[in-house]
Amino acid sequence: MKILTEHIDVQGIETIDVFRKHGGYAAVEKALKKMTPDEVTEEVKKSGLRGRGGAGFPMGMKWSFLAKPEGIPRYLVCNADESEPGTFKDHYLMMKSPHTLIEGMIVSSYALGANTSYIYIRGELMYVATILEKAIQEARDKGLLGKNILGSGYDLDLHVQLGGGAYICGEETALLESLEGKRGNPRNKPPFPAVKGLWQCPTVVNNVESIAATSWIVNNGGDEYAKIGIGRSTGTKLISVSGHVRKPGVYELPLGITVEDFIYADEWCGGIRDGHKLKAVVAGGSSVPILPAELILKTTNGENRLMSYESLSDGGFATGTMLGSGGFVVMDETTCIVHNTLTFGRFYHHESCGQCSPCREGTGWMDKVLYRIEHGQGRQEDIDLLVDVAKKIEGNTICPLGDAAAWPVAAAIRHFRDEFEWHINHPEKATQKGAVFMREGASWSL
Amino acid sequence: MKVTIDNITIDVEPGTTIMNAARQIGPHIAPPAMCYYEPLKASGGKCRGCLVKVTAGSEKDPRPMPKLVPSCITQVQDGMIVENTINEQVLETRKGIVEFLLLNHPLDCPVCDQAGECHLQDFSFEHGVSKTRTVEERNTFEPVDLGPYIKLNMNRCILCYRCVYTADQITDGRVHGVMHRGDHAEISTYIEKAIDNDFSGNVIDVCPVGALTDKTYRFKSRVWFSKPEDASCSCGKCSGKVTLWYRGDEVIRVTARKNEWGEVKEFICNTCRFERKKTSDWTLEGPTKIARNSVISANKYGASTIKPAFPLQQAAEQYKKIDDSRDRSFLAPQKQLN
Ligand SMILES: Cc1cc2nc3c(=O)[nH]c(=O)nc-3n(C[C@H](O)[C@H](O)[C@H](O)COP(=O)(O)O)c2cc1C
Ligand code: SF4
Ligand code: SF4
Ligand code: FES
């Protein structure tokens, strides 16, 4: 079942004519001519679609929180900052089929009553911004953007804004600050963007994939969408796979298939690369807890773990993780978890905006301690120190970047403490090139 | 609106923050504020030193709030119940905040002009632990001049953003902000451009630490050797209400007046601050009220100012033995104390 990527490999799908030949912009015709904005919102609510940017918040509910005071403009902002390590699904979609996003932007803006909307895209994706700009121009030429779209009386201007190279500008309030031309510092909440967002006006911020999915929902109805998937995880999800699998890449899958199938079936990742074994998975982008092979494949009740919001978080952080943004990083037995944790730690240290003290100082501290352990200068007490620093950051910061920095460190120690201890106890061995700890009896041990 | 903080109930105006409600009860209940600064719009929410536990959100919805909340920017609701000094999680978290703020701090109080009137000193004395857990090298920056009057020592900065808001809100043509990110972020005037503005000196007063200091006063005296006197003049640019800091008969420093929370309500101009340094420039109004638990009040003014009972009681409660359990064997040849 493919919704977003059905025609993605069609030659010329980035041009409006080919896109329309494959059913493109039908949702705009339908929504603007036959539906009221509230009816569109209602369908999105019925679909059960959850935000694909990471938090998984129900999209229809978010839309219904939007304040609608008379005479004040409202905005829709598409979050295309996608900077989470391991996540590259929005990039793929926009690059190959820009009109899929633009169609969704028109439908969603119409539902929210926004007459100006923005796509905020990470600065490194300059060439994708160019692709989007070109597609927007095509849509404008065909009367799908601008004044009185398709004679419906609805006006919409769509702008693309490039970011300046900061992961933090993916956090929705930092994104709004940046869009306003300021330093990208997250705002304290409340007030939430739905009440005071861009230029202090009511604003909805949604991920590329969330917005793109609305066209299909308008065309086929929310109920149809809700039939795909499992339980409260409705619809399809783009998963970007990297690491030690045979076939890394971006996959669109119906939520609810088993993790085991996803990793091993030929239809998906095709298994671990030849001669190697699965050791660990980071299932939803660098921020979510890492899980060892046995816990990513099965929950502690012995059930198969599924690719769904609920199943991946089964067991809480003790034994579970999160679907997050869908950045699926697979590691085989050659991966050193300490090294990997350092890589993540260094990233968050580099990307913290520095506004609040726990995140600003804590990320730097964890990075330095991890660096020492990785380089053979760890002390026994460093492991508990890391756990404690992570605990002191978590929940005490302005934005979730603090949590996102703390969780991977805490989880790596929770599940791979022996590996950290080995680094500390055997610095000479551990610092040799390519040296990796093998847990005795583990399914991945050689 | 009724709000209960540490079992004390008080009536406050709607829109009051937890911080300000607690301040109305008194300094022993008020959470510490390292970044919040009442006169500056949008300040607060950054240092996280003022985090408190809300055990009941309101009369209508008495559920507890899941996370600790910054009291300086969280408004009270009718029937809210808050725990500050009586909540273990709050106190434990605050220890962590002190530790974070000191992590890259040079601990150079002996050579810092702010010592004795530094909020970070107070904060760490009241809420910190006496042992350090860090062995990492600290981040360092070179001190720089921000124009002819102000020295920036970024090593001591806690990135509270107060000076940024001051530059934004009371001076025109802002040339002062934060560059870079994370623990490598720094206060900057961009190409070290001089701040030449009549009110630029106020960033010195709002700075809670010794990151921004007055170059006309640097290294002249320890603050507790000087004597503050309130004084005024008829200045065309500002209110002319200042505090003069005397060493003997000499005015060694002029600052704006601070209230009991260390906040300046009336900002002063650079002429008053940097150029009027003779007693004859001023009309004296009498000794500045200084809290008795402040080191500045040491050996001054007899017992006339504030009743000693409270500060003494507080000092006794907060007295901590210095933790000297580290290995001192390398001191062996010398006579060990105690
Ligand atoms: C540090 C940080 C980075 C984020 N980066 C992104 C991002 O690149 N793209 C994205 O869609 N959401 C990102 N988010 C989540 C957004 O804040 C926001 O929740 C999301 O855009 C909402 O859209 P959705 O409801 O459609 O998921 C980030 C959040 C944080 C805390
Ligand atoms: S948690 Fe980190 S990134 Fe978020 S506001 Fe605080 S310092 Fe900035
Ligand atoms: S220089 Fe002082 S006032 Fe400015 S941010 Fe740093 S600590 Fe705060
Ligand atoms: S005083 Fe409230 S966060 Fe700093």
Side-chain angles (χ1 to χ4, degrees):
Chain A
M1 183 70 207
K2 292 206 163 73
I3 284 178
L4 301 169
T5 57
E6 192 182 351
H7 306 297
I8 204 152
D9 290 319
V10 172
Q11 185 77 29
I13 196 72
E14 71 282 2
T15 62
I16 197 158
D17 293 333
V18 177
F19 184 70
R20 286 188 107 166
K21 229 176 267 162
H22 289 87
Y25 289 107
V28 174
E29 300 252 2
K30 183 172 175 189
L32 269 56
K33 289 188 175 161
K34 301 205 188 99
M35 296 169 83
T36 65
D38 285 346
E39 281 166 0
V40 178
T41 305
E42 197 49 41
E43 290 305 318
V44 172
K45 266 194 198 158
K46 274 197 262 174
S47 74
L49 171 60
R50 291 165 69 173
R52 304 297 195 221
F57 193 80
M59 183 140 162
M61 203 192 297
K62 188 186 235 176
W63 285 13
S64 62
F65 290 156
L66 185 69
K68 296 185 173 162
E70 268 309 303
I72 293 176
R74 305 189 276 276
Y75 296 101
L76 171 66
V77 177
C78 172
N79 189 343
D81 192 59
E82 196 172 61
S83 317
E84 174 111 343
T87 311
F88 45 90
K89 61 183 179 81
D90 299 340
H91 181 174
Y92 172 80
L93 184 66
M94 293 185 290
M95 162 186 88
K96 297 198 67 155
S97 182
H99 287 289
T100 304
L101 174 59
I102 295 166
E103 182 178 12
M105 283 300 285
I106 301 172
V107 171
S108 305
S109 303
Y110 174 71
L112 297 168
N115 298 110
T116 310
S117 295
Y118 296 88
I119 300 172
Y120 183 94
I121 183 167
R122 68 181 289 195
E124 292 89 336
L125 301 187
M126 178 89 83
Y127 80 103
V128 182
T130 314
I131 294 173
L132 284 170
E133 301 264 18
K134 202 167 146 218
I136 288 174
Q137 189 55 47
E138 282 183 329
R140 200 174 285 136
D141 293 344
K142 302 269 180 201
L144 289 158
L145 280 171
K147 291 255 174 280
N148 192 16
I149 298 172
L150 303 177
S152 65
Y154 173 65
D155 307 334
L156 176 65
D157 273 326
L158 186 54
H159 302 282
V160 177
Q161 176 63 47
L162 278 163
Y167 169 62
I168 191 56
C169 290
E171 195 280 337
E172 54 187 9
T173 56
L175 186 157
L176 295 177
E177 287 283 298
S178 171
L179 197 51
E180 290 178 10
K182 303 185 197 135
R183 183 185 160 83
N185 278 358
R187 298 175 184 167
N188 272 295
K189 282 149 277 196
F192 290 94
V195 181
K196 284 189 174 169
L198 190 59
W199 294 299
Q200 298 297 305
C201 299
T203 304
V204 166
V205 182
N206 271 131
N207 173 256
V208 171
E209 190 188 343
S210 320
I211 291 173
T214 57
S215 314
W216 195 93
I217 293 170
V218 165
N219 284 331
N220 300 278
D223 289 332
E224 279 306 303
Y225 189 86
K227 282 183 197 157
I228 313 164
I230 180 167
R232 298 207 304 110
S233 299
T234 61
T236 65
K237 174 92 188 80
L238 295 178
I239 303 287
S240 54
V241 185
S242 55
H244 300 141
V245 291
R246 284 216 182 89
K247 298 191 294 170
V250 177
Y251 295 94
E252 180 174 6
L253 51 82
L255 287 166
I257 68 169
T258 65
V259 174
E260 188 163 356
D261 253 2
F262 183 60
I263 297 177
Y264 291 102
D266 283 335
E267 189 189 350
W268 311 109
C269 307
I272 307 300
R273 59 181 181 158
D274 284 340
H276 294 276
K277 289 178 181 166
L278 175 66
K279 177 176 184 180
V281 171
V282 173
S286 59
S287 306
V288 311
I290 188 172
L291 287 185
E294 62 275 15
L295 284 175
I296 188 69
L297 297 174
K298 292 225 188 305
T299 67
T300 39
N301 319 332
E303 286 164 24
N304 277 331
R305 216 182 267 282
L306 311 179
M307 296 294 288
S308 76
Y309 292 96
E310 290 76 19
S311 180
L312 280 171
S313 57
D314 186 284
F317 276 6
T319 59
T321 178
M322 284 162 77
L323 180 59
S325 57
F328 200 84
V329 186
V330 182
M331 304 170 195
D332 67 17
E333 81 290 340
T334 62
T335 311
C336 169
I337 300 298
V338 176
H339 185 97
N340 181 70
T341 311
L342 168 63
T343 305
F344 286 169
R346 195 191 312 137
F347 174 78
Y348 290 106
H349 177 199
H350 188 259
E351 297 300 332
S352 162
C353 84
Q355 262 190 110
C356 51
S357 32
C359 170
R360 175 183 68 241
E361 303 296 339
T363 52
W365 196 2
M366 291 195 301
D367 181 14
K368 287 176 182 172
V369 174
L370 286 165
Y371 185 90
R372 266 198 297 106
I373 298 178
E374 166 70 10
H375 290 86
Q377 282 152 33
R379 306 167 302 165
Q380 220 38 262
E381 64 262 39
D382 283 334
I383 300 178
D384 287 330
L385 177 66
L386 283 172
V387 173
D388 191 61
V389 174
K391 203 171 96 204
K392 292 239 158 78
I393 300 173
E394 188 185 342
N396 293 329
T397 55
I398 297 177
C399 87
L401 188 140
D403 302 336
W407 291 340
V409 176
I413 295 175
R414 191 178 308 128
H415 300 300
F416 296 95
R417 197 180 179 102
D418 50 355
E419 212 153 311
F420 286 83
E421 283 166 354
W422 181 72
H423 269 259
I424 290 165
N425 294 333
H426 305 280
E428 271 136 57
K429 254 194 259 171
T431 47
Q432 276 166 23
K433 204 169 156 33
V436 183
F437 172 73
M438 288 292 159
R439 181 184 295 170
E440 221 167 287
S443 60
W444 62 81
S445 281
L446 295 178
Chain B
M1 274 192 177
K2 275 200 173 27
V3 52
T4 305
I5 306 174
D6 288 356
N7 300 324
I8 303 169
T9 303
I10 178 177
D11 242 321
V12 296
E13 292 291 312
T16 308
T17 57
I18 298 174
M19 170 74 78
N20 283 331
R23 283 183 173 183
Q24 286 174 31
I25 296 173
H28 54 303
I29 297 296
M34 294 302 294
C35 67
Y36 173 71
Y37 205 75
E38 205 261 338
L40 294 172
K41 237 177 65 202
S43 69
K46 298 197 193 302
C47 71
R48 317 305 276 183
C50 72
L51 291 176
V52 293
K53 178 77 192 171
V54 175
T55 54
S58 68
E59 176 89 57
K60 261 198 255 138
D61 181 3
R63 285 176 303 175
M65 293 189 180
K67 291 183 188 174
L68 301 183
V69 300
S71 57
C72 61
I73 52 167
T74 306
Q75 293 184 0
V76 302
Q77 306 291 330
D78 198 26
M80 186 185 259
I81 302 175
V82 180
E83 293 185 353
N84 177 27
T85 62
I86 58 173
N87 185 294
E88 264 314 304
Q89 188 196 354
V90 168
L91 298 178
E92 192 55 31
T93 304
R94 225 163 258 168
K95 275 186 206 159
I97 303 292
V98 173
E99 191 173 31
F100 285 136
L101 289 179
L102 294 180
L103 199 71
N104 280 303
H105 188 282
L107 304 176
D108 59 347
C109 307
V111 294
C112 175
D113 273 327
Q114 192 87 358
E117 49 179 0
C118 173
H119 288 224
L120 187 56
Q121 278 184 326
D122 297 345
F123 185 44
S124 48
F125 178 73
E126 282 168 34
H127 299 283
V129 288
S130 44
K131 238 184 172 167
T132 174
R133 292 193 292 174
T134 175
V135 294
E136 321 309 327
E137 198 169 308
R138 287 162 203 259
N139 299 341
T140 51
F141 301 83
E142 285 302 314
V144 290
D145 287 329
L146 303 183
Y149 293 127
I150 304 167
K151 191 77 160 182
L152 167 65
N153 184 330
M154 194 56 212
N155 295 333
R156 299 174 186 148
C157 171
I158 60 162
L159 283 168
C160 69
Y161 278 66
R162 284 180 185 176
C163 58
V164 179
Y165 292 125
T166 306
D168 253 355
Q169 291 167 29
I170 69 164
T171 67
D172 356 285
R174 173 188 126 153
V175 285
H176 183 115
V178 176
M179 303 242 291
H180 312 305
R181 288 194 295 258
D183 62 7
H184 29 283
E186 53 182 306
I187 295 295
S188 172
T189 51
Y190 206 42
I191 39 182
E192 287 178 27
K193 192 169 151 190
I195 310 183
D196 49 359
N197 177 296
D198 270 344
F199 282 80
S200 63
N202 289 294
V203 297
I204 299 165
D205 284 346
V206 301
C207 185
V209 295
L212 293 169
T213 49
D214 178 342
K215 279 173 71 181
T216 68
Y217 168 69
R218 289 191 98 215
F219 306 134
K220 283 226 166 111
S221 168
R222 306 292 355 191
V223 67
W224 54 89
F225 294 134
S226 62
K227 228 173 160 179
E229 295 271 342
D230 283 351
S232 59
C233 73
S234 48
C235 174
K237 288 188 221 154
C238 67
S239 69
K241 289 185 188 153
V242 302
T243 300
L244 303 180
W245 298 78
Y246 277 96
R247 190 181 52 198
D249 293 336
E250 188 194 353
V251 176
I252 52 172
R253 177 169 74 148
V254 182
T255 66
R257 293 184 194 172
K258 292 185 180 179
N259 66 13
E260 63 171 318
W261 311 110
E263 291 166 351
V264 171
K265 293 283 181 178
E266 288 178 284
F267 291 105
I268 60 168
C269 70
N270 284 2
T271 314
C272 283
R273 183 185 303 272
F274 298 119
E275 279 155 35
R276 302 207 163 109
K277 297 231 173 147
K278 291 196 298 290
T279 302
S280 58
D281 294 332
W282 300 97
T283 312
L284 296 186
E285 293 178 0
T288 303
K289 278 198 175 142
I290 297 287
R292 278 299 292 251
N293 58 348
S294 162
V295 66
I296 299 172
S297 67
N299 305 323
K300 296 193 187 86
Y301 316 131
S304 65
T305 44
I306 301 172
K307 287 243 160 56
F310 173 65
L312 279 179
Q313 174 203 332
Q314 221 191 4
E317 274 169 16
Q318 293 173 351
Y319 174 74
K320 287 181 205 125
K321 255 191 132 152
I322 293 172
D323 182 328
D324 211 2
S325 59
R326 282 173 302 171
D327 179 13
R328 291 188 299 160
S329 51
F330 61 93
L331 290 177
Q334 292 168 16
K335 212 159 75 189
Q336 292 204 358
L337 300 170
N338 73 41

